[in-house]
């Protein structure tokens, strides 16, 4: 079994330390969790050992020998493989090409690319992952998020052929996966561990860390707070180490009454949704649930004017549904899409500009920038954004903090209807609880909320009613009594569905 030590890891950006003198010991056959709040330095640590960001200091010792590590090739040669937080895929080419990206492509007679061989190798890698349903000839950009992740993992495995890999690093791999896909991934990690590789695993999901990891290191503000075997610690202790405070891993109760109906949908059919009939009241939190891609995002997009009503009746705030996103924002509908980075942020623009983007109509010409700044700072504080100020480009923020910018944008301008698509994905425990509190606060102000989540406890903890979708069709509309009642319909629905697959 190999032993790996990364010591004195430091990195500062413009004089601000992102990682300060951190040391990490990893061992073959063990899965090591790396935890910490958004912006704690996890991805920075990973980028240093991947050689993609230049370290201010870093020493790598493998089995007693010091290794050079100044670029990505060094990391490859050392046997390190990475699945980064931002999935760098090439959407316009096939899955097979993405999987073999960066390797010498198989050639026939030394000239033409041997497509059959290419596809066979890609298929073999996907088979190892248990992801045989992915067509290697499909365009990578067309895959659902979970399949994109599987494709990236397959690429890391393929890169590992030839040179043996001793370390696999996963940066929040399950953030975009469904429960089923996560289980598939855990089985793969188990296989890698059994094969003697060391695994470094970043996740905000406490339960999965406790389930699959052997050791856990916690970072806070770029420094290492603790390292312990998972068996010798607890959820509460990890949260305390991460946040320096006691944070509840729970759901705040509803404290206000609901108001009048604000949106109503009757027998609505769109190109890809059917049989929708429900209403939502001011202050209500309506959950939308179902298996992956059952239509949850499409349902939210209906209220953004991005999915047209073909038949049936639908109204919001006394008028037909908005017919464009601009109109939706102007009428008080705020939206947090699932693919936040890709769908909603301008990475090279300032935090301020990103937050005020859909609200520009609110600002006159006078003192516009000053008022924008004030709003951006206010909203940033509300969501506990960690940044160097409102003018910092969003692309420089940690993954979780980028998401908070999207949140801040949605909260600006007192929405009447807030659409949340997987709002707590990739968000740390502290921020997660803050988001729940914000939802409660908005409810109390009369804002209706529609929330999708693949996290069943989150749905049960936050929602007043739950609409269950099945292949784009409304299958159930469950009220609180049905949710908390003895039968617990939703849980049964989930297990029946998943058991049946
Ligand atoms: N290119 C950059 N320029 C300036 N600052 C940066 C850059 N990349 C990261 N940082 C800063 O370094 C700090 C650590 O960020 P990092 O991405 O490592 O956090 P993280 O622990 O991965 O958080 P998350 O859970 O949100 O992904 C943050 O304060 C971030 O703003
Ligand atoms: Mg990160």
């Amino acid at each position: 079994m190999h032993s790996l030590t990364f010591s004195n890891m430091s990195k500062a950006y413009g004089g601000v330390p992102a990682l300060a003198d951190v040391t990490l010991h990893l061992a073959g056959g063990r899965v090591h969790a790396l935890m910490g709040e958004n912006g704690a330095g996890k991805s920075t640590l990973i980028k240093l050992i991947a050689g993609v960001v230049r370290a201010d200091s870093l020493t790598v010792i493998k089995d007693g020998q010091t290794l050079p590590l100044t670029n990505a090739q060094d990391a490859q040669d050392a046997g390190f493989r990475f699945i980064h937080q931002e999935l760098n895929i090439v959407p316009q080419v096939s899955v097979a090409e993405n999987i073999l990206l960066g390797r010498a492509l198989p050639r026939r007679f030394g000239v033409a690319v041997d497509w059959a061989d290419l596809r066979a190798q890609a298929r073999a890698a996907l088979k190892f992952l248990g992801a045989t349903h992915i067509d290697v000839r499909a365009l990578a950009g067309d895959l659902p998020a979970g399949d994109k992740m599987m494709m990236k993992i397959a690429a890391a495995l393929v890169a590992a052929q030839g040179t043996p890999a001793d370390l696999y690093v996963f940066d929040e791999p399950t953030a975009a996966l469904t429960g089923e896909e996560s289980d598939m991934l855990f089985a793969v990690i188990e296989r890698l561990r059994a094969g003697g590789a060391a695994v470094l695993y970043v996740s905000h999901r406490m339960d999965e860390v406790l389930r699959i990891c052997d050791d856990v290191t916690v970072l806070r503000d770029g420094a290492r707070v603790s390292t312990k075997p998972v068996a010798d610690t607890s959820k509460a202790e990890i949260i305390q180490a991460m946040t320096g405070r006691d944070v509840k891993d729970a759901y705040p109760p509803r404290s206000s009454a609901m108001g009048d109906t604000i949106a109503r949908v009757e027998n609505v059919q769109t190109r890809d949704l059917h049989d929708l009939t429900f209403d939502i009241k001011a202050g209500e939190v309506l959950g939308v649930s179902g298996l992956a891609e059952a239509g949850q995002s499409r349902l939210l997009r209906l209220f953004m004017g991005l999915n047209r009503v073909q038949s049936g009746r639908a109204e919001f705030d006394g008028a037909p549904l908005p017919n464009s996103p601009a109109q939706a924002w102007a009428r008080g509908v705020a939206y947090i899409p699932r693919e936040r980075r890709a769908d909603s942020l301008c990475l090279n623009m300032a935090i301020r500009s990103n937050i005020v983007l859909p609200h520009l109509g609110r600002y006159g010409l006078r003192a516009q920038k000053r008022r924008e700044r004030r709003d951006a700072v206010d909203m940033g504080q509300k969501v506990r954004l960690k940044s160097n100020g409102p003018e910092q480009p969003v692309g420089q923020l940690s993954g979780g903090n980028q998401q908070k910018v999207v949140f801040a944008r949605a909260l600006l301008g007192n929405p009447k209807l807030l659409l949340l698509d997987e709002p707590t994905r990739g968000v740390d425990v502290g921020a997660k609880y803050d988001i729940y509190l914000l939802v409660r606060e908005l409810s109390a102000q009369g804002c209706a909320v529609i929330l999708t989540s693949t996290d069943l406890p989150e749905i049960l903890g936050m929602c007043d009613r739950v609409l269950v979708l099945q292949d784009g069709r409304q299958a159930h509309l469950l009220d609180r009594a049905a949710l908390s009642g003895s039968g617990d319909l939703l849980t049964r629905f989930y297990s029946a569905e998943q058991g049946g697959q």
Side-chain angles (χ1 to χ4, degrees):
M1 293 285 167
H2 292 288
S3 90
L4 272 168
T5 302
F6 298 95
S7 52
N8 310 110
M9 286 183 276
S10 294
K11 175 71 188 177
Y13 287 104
V16 183
L19 204 64
D21 198 21
V22 170
T23 293
L24 201 62
H25 300 284
L26 305 177
R30 290 184 80 84
V31 181
H32 197 117
L34 186 60
M35 300 198 75
E37 293 193 293
N38 295 133
K42 305 175 298 293
S43 296
T44 302
L45 186 155
I46 288 172
K47 287 172 190 163
L48 296 194
I49 65 180
V52 297
V53 159
R54 210 180 178 80
D56 296 339
S57 78
L58 164 66
T59 307
V60 185
I61 300 170
K62 183 173 169 185
D63 300 330
Q65 291 218 302
T66 306
L67 296 183
L69 209 172
T70 51
N71 56 45
Q73 190 59 49
D74 287 345
Q76 282 282 321
D77 295 344
F80 306 161
R81 302 289 176 264
F82 298 86
I83 292 96
H84 289 289
Q85 186 171 15
E86 290 89 30
L87 291 181
N88 303 310
I89 67 158
V90 187
Q92 312 86 344
V93 305
S94 72
V95 170
E97 286 163 282
N98 268 275
I99 290 177
L100 289 147
L101 211 68
R103 285 194 74 214
L105 292 179
R107 290 186 187 274
R108 282 177 92 170
F109 314 118
V111 262
V113 171
D114 188 342
W115 290 102
D117 187 25
L118 178 78
R119 289 187 199 121
Q121 286 192 37
R123 260 187 223 112
L126 288 170
K127 185 159 178 237
F128 179 80
L129 294 175
T132 45
H133 64 283
I134 301 176
D135 178 1
V136 298
R137 286 167 305 185
L139 276 192
D142 292 344
L143 298 185
D147 288 354
K148 282 186 185 141
M149 168 60 67
M150 287 295 160
M151 180 179 81
K152 284 312 285 186
I153 299 171
L157 292 172
V158 164
Q161 286 177 359
T163 46
D166 300 317
L167 169 64
Y168 289 90
V169 180
F170 294 88
D171 195 352
E172 288 194 54
T174 54
L177 302 188
T178 62
E180 213 174 317
E181 288 164 339
S182 298
D183 286 341
M184 217 189 263
L185 173 69
F186 299 154
V188 171
I189 289 177
E190 188 47 49
R191 244 177 287 174
L192 298 174
R193 168 179 29 205
V199 176
L200 183 61
Y201 189 82
V202 175
S203 174
H204 288 294
R205 300 187 176 175
M206 201 64 68
D207 296 314
E208 85 190 20
V209 164
L210 297 180
R211 174 170 155 204
I212 69 164
C213 298
D214 302 295
D215 307 290
V216 52
T217 287
V218 174
L219 296 180
R220 193 198 314 162
D221 294 333
R224 190 172 65 95
V225 184
S226 66
T227 298
K228 281 194 168 180
V230 165
D232 298 346
T233 187
S234 66
K235 218 175 186 174
E237 195 179 44
I238 296 172
I239 295 178
Q240 170 69 33
M242 276 167 44
T243 61
R245 57 193 169 116
D246 282 319
V247 172
K248 286 186 217 121
D249 186 22
Y251 305 93
R254 142 178 302 286
S255 58
S256 54
M258 285 181 239
D260 297 333
T261 298
I262 180 142
R264 192 189 307 277
V265 170
E266 266 172 44
N267 297 319
V268 161
Q269 162 125 5
T270 73
R271 190 166 47 82
D272 44 22
L273 288 172
H274 315 275
D275 303 335
L276 297 177
T277 297
F278 61 91
D279 60 359
I280 176 162
K281 297 185 176 57
E284 179 171 14
V285 182
L286 176 70
V288 182
S289 190
L291 293 179
E293 320 276 326
Q296 297 93 316
S297 301
R298 281 171 264 157
L299 187 120
L300 296 190
R301 287 200 291 268
L302 184 65
F303 291 92
M304 285 309 286
L306 291 166
N307 193 353
R308 291 299 155 82
V309 175
Q310 287 179 339
S311 67
R313 273 165 45 94
E315 58 174 50
F316 163 68
D317 203 16
L321 297 189
N323 56 29
S324 73
Q327 208 187 79
W329 284 100
R331 287 179 57 194
V333 186
Y335 177 41
I336 298 193
R338 180 176 296 224
E339 306 292 339
R340 287 173 268 267
R341 255 179 89 87
D343 288 0
S344 56
L345 288 171
C346 305
L347 293 178
N348 54 2
M349 275 167 52
I351 292 169
R352 169 180 56 84
S353 315
N354 273 282
I355 291 180
V356 303
L357 196 66
H359 306 285
L360 288 175
R362 293 161 48 94
Y363 302 94
L365 289 175
R366 275 187 55 218
Q368 178 184 353
K369 193 164 171 191
R370 196 167 45 96
R371 290 171 52 212
E372 286 184 11
R373 274 184 79 98
R374 192 197 53 210
D375 283 351
V377 170
D378 280 358
M379 291 301 136
Q381 276 169 356
K382 261 204 141 116
V383 297
R384 284 183 200 255
L385 180 69
K386 194 182 162 201
S387 75
N388 298 338
E391 299 308 320
Q392 190 177 15
V394 165
Q396 291 183 1
L397 299 178
S398 78
N401 279 295
Q402 293 183 358
Q403 303 196 22
K404 291 186 192 173
V405 170
V406 185
F407 243 94
R409 169 196 292 166
L411 297 180
L412 183 61
N414 301 321
K416 287 181 186 156
L417 174 63
L418 177 61
L419 308 171
L420 301 175
D421 204 350
E422 298 281 349
T424 57
R425 168 194 282 180
V427 165
D428 69 52
V429 272
K432 210 163 151 171
Y433 193 71
D434 291 341
I435 287 172
Y436 298 145
L437 287 176
L438 281 168
V439 167
R440 290 291 182 240
E441 195 181 309
L442 286 165
S443 281
Q445 292 164 13
C447 175
V449 178
I450 308 185
L451 168 83
T452 81
S453 177
T454 40
D455 187 13
L456 185 56
E458 180 167 284
I459 289 273
L460 294 172
M462 290 304 295
C463 301
D464 301 303
R465 284 188 298 164
V466 179
L467 191 155
V468 181
L469 291 170
Q470 209 169 5
D471 297 328
R473 209 169 279 282
Q474 178 172 337
H476 302 277
L477 184 57
L478 309 172
D479 59 16
R480 274 252 57 106
L483 291 176
S484 52
S486 52
D488 208 347
L489 244 147
L490 192 57
T491 319
R492 253 195 296 151
F493 172 79
Y494 263 75
S495 40
E497 279 293 305
Q498 296 187 335
Q501 293 231 327

